[in-house]
Amino acid sequence: MRTRRGSCYIEPEIVTKMCSLGKRKKDMHISKKTIFCGKRLKKCLEKTSSEYDFFEALPDDIVISIFCRLSSTATSPSDFVTVLSTCKRFKRLALHSLVLSKASPRTFSIRAKNWCESAQQFLKQCAEAGNVEACYTLGMIRFYCLQNRGSGASLMAKAAMNSHARALYSLAVIQFNGSGGTKSDKDLRAGVALCARAAFLGHIDALRELGHCLQDGYGVKQNISEGRRFLIQANARELSGVLSTDAGACQLVNANLQSQLRYVAVSGCPLLSDFGCNVPAPEPHPSSRFMTEWFAVRGGLNGSGLRLCSHVSCGKPETRKHEFRRCSVCGAVNYCSRACQALDWKFRHKAECAPVERWLDEDGDDEKVDDDDEVMVMNDS
């Protein structure tokens, strides 16, 4: 086998003969090729590390394998950027399609304040290499932040076709809201179908969304008992994730888990974590974190009359006025989905929500709710 420099790996038969060379120096049956390779190997071993670059001697395929491991386990973009700035050869091999296809979301979790054309090009390279996480992340950024609806939806669809659960759920939310279009562009049945596929793949927010759709008969025939089953399953997965990753939370949950399960068995409550389990809020996806920072840096939506989802870990903005639904009690918060409503209700809004007579802003009637503005009933389930 030849390396990039044209030299050969030593054949196993030759190595065996070289080992016997010391014992049988007068053996005349050893070929000239064996003697030549033996001398060459001895000469290489005699060189000091200062005189010989062992990394340069490594074949390209081995270096690419090392970079694949690095990109898949990187905890921040800097871990990978360091390799790109080392030398021209490392930069060329680190940008190999195989390396980019295995890059983890943390490898390209770019901060909104550092966004630039080169960052977008890197994400695009990862997406073109077949990295589904990069397809989803770049699709979300283009759809919601850069307002390139067609390209963003296309990238998310590419990830969804590869069974990416988050992409399926995000497309479901777009269908539920008619995002990027008019109110008449809503397709509730398509949203339920996408949500069901994401739920089948184990996406917790999709399970919650599907449970609420079944309970409310939203886009699907109403089935309250089946909806409650999906909500229980969503929270069971939530608890399972905490127990498998956080030892401290594991001890906290186990202390009351048996009593809570008995309570659920008697009351039929669909949300386990609302009753004493104290499950911490899930870590937001890099794309959600990017959108949250993007609009925070730009001071919101620049007086366009559009709103951001009130769930702090979401980051999705409206694409038209009154796209998101408001809280039916206070009217002060709005959500892109029932899953965001359920999570924000548990972790924050439940303690703040207070009823009002009318949804009027203190400044006057300009903020009066439009007839097209839907409401979202807030409850523990």
Side-chain angles (χ1 to χ4, degrees), residues 123-134:
L123 265 175
K124 185 180 178 181
Q125 281 184 280
C126 292
E128 290 175 346
N131 190 311
V132 291
E133 280 288 349

Side-chain angles (χ1 to χ4, degrees), residues 25-323:
K25 293 183 179 179
K26 297 181 180 182
D27 190 347
M28 303 302 298
H29 298 289
I30 300 176
S31 66
K32 293 181 178 180
K33 183 178 180 182
T34 304
I35 296 173
F36 170 75
C37 292
K39 289 180 178 178
R40 183 177 179 183
L41 179 63
K42 182 178 179 181
K43 185 177 180 180
C44 290
L45 293 175
E46 287 175 351
K47 290 185 177 181
T48 62
S49 58
S50 60
E51 298 173 342
Y52 195 84
D53 189 343
F54 289 100
F55 274 107
E56 280 295 316
L58 283 175
D60 288 356
D61 53 349
I62 294 179
V63 178
I64 289 173
S65 178
I66 295 171
F67 287 165
C68 284
R69 177 66 176 173
L70 173 64
S71 67
S72 63
T73 58
T75 58
S76 65
S78 59
D79 293 346
F80 192 74
V81 171
T82 303
V83 174
L84 298 178
S85 59
T86 302
C87 64
K88 290 183 178 180
R89 184 197 176 199
F90 277 17
K91 181 178 180 179
R92 175 174 60 83
L93 297 179
L95 295 177
H96 191 277
S97 59
L98 186 60
V99 177
L100 298 180
S101 68
K102 297 183 180 297
S104 68
R106 293 181 181 273
T107 304
F108 44 76
S109 58
I110 302 165
R111 303 296 296 270
K113 63 181 180 180
N114 298 328
W115 181 255
C116 57
E117 185 59 31
S118 60
Q120 184 171 191
Q121 285 300 319
F122 176 69
L123 265 175
K124 185 180 178 181
Q125 281 184 280
C126 292
E128 290 175 346
N131 190 311
V132 291
E133 280 288 349
C135 287
Y136 170 71
T137 301
L138 184 57
M140 292 287 284
I141 292 172
R142 284 186 175 178
F143 189 91
Y144 287 108
C145 298
L146 305 181
Q147 299 182 13
N148 191 340
R149 314 293 186 197
S151 175
S154 177
L155 284 166
M156 284 188 275
K158 182 180 178 181
M161 286 189 290
N162 286 277
S163 298
H164 189 274
R166 286 185 181 274
L168 285 162
Y169 176 66
S170 296
L171 289 173
V173 172
I174 289 173
Q175 294 293 335
F176 282 135
N177 296 326
S179 301
T182 64
K183 187 176 180 181
S184 60
D185 291 323
K186 291 183 180 182
D187 192 339
L188 303 186
R189 295 184 64 181
V192 170
L194 289 164
C195 211
R197 177 60 181 164
F200 175 78
L201 295 172
H203 193 268
I204 295 175
D205 287 347
L207 284 166
R208 278 201 177 93
E209 190 77 27
L210 189 58
H212 284 289
C213 286
L214 286 165
Q215 278 194 329
D216 302 340
Y218 190 75
V220 67
K221 185 178 179 180
Q222 189 176 31
N223 189 332
I224 296 176
S225 61
E226 189 72 5
R228 292 168 72 86
R229 185 177 71 83
F230 276 111
L231 290 171
I232 292 174
Q233 187 177 353
N235 283 267
R237 284 181 178 271
E238 182 183 60
L239 288 171
S240 176
V242 172
L243 293 174
S244 63
T245 58
D246 192 331
C250 178
Q251 295 177 356
L252 180 64
V253 172
N254 281 334
N256 294 322
L257 185 57
Q258 292 299 325
S259 61
Q260 301 309 321
L261 290 176
R262 285 195 295 270
Y263 179 86
V264 169
V266 174
S267 65
C269 172
L271 289 180
L272 299 176
S273 54
D274 277 340
F275 293 87
C277 290
N278 297 321
V279 177
E283 183 181 358
H285 189 269
S287 62
S288 297
R289 188 184 302 113
F290 180 93
M291 290 191 296
T292 302
E293 294 176 358
W294 177 274
F295 293 109
V297 168
R298 286 157 179 76
L301 295 171
N302 299 324
S304 60
L306 303 179
R307 305 168 295 189
L308 292 170
C309 180
S310 296
H311 180 37
V312 293
S313 298
C314 177
K316 291 188 183 74
E318 288 183 319
T319 60
R320 67 175 188 279
K321 287 188 177 182
H322 311 299
E323 178 183 335

Side-chain angles (χ1 to χ4, degrees), residues 333-347:
V333 295
N334 45 266
Y335 302 101
C336 66
S337 63
R338 287 172 172 78
C340 281
Q341 172 258 322
L343 289 170
D344 194 58
W345 177 254
K346 287 193 304 177
F347 297 120

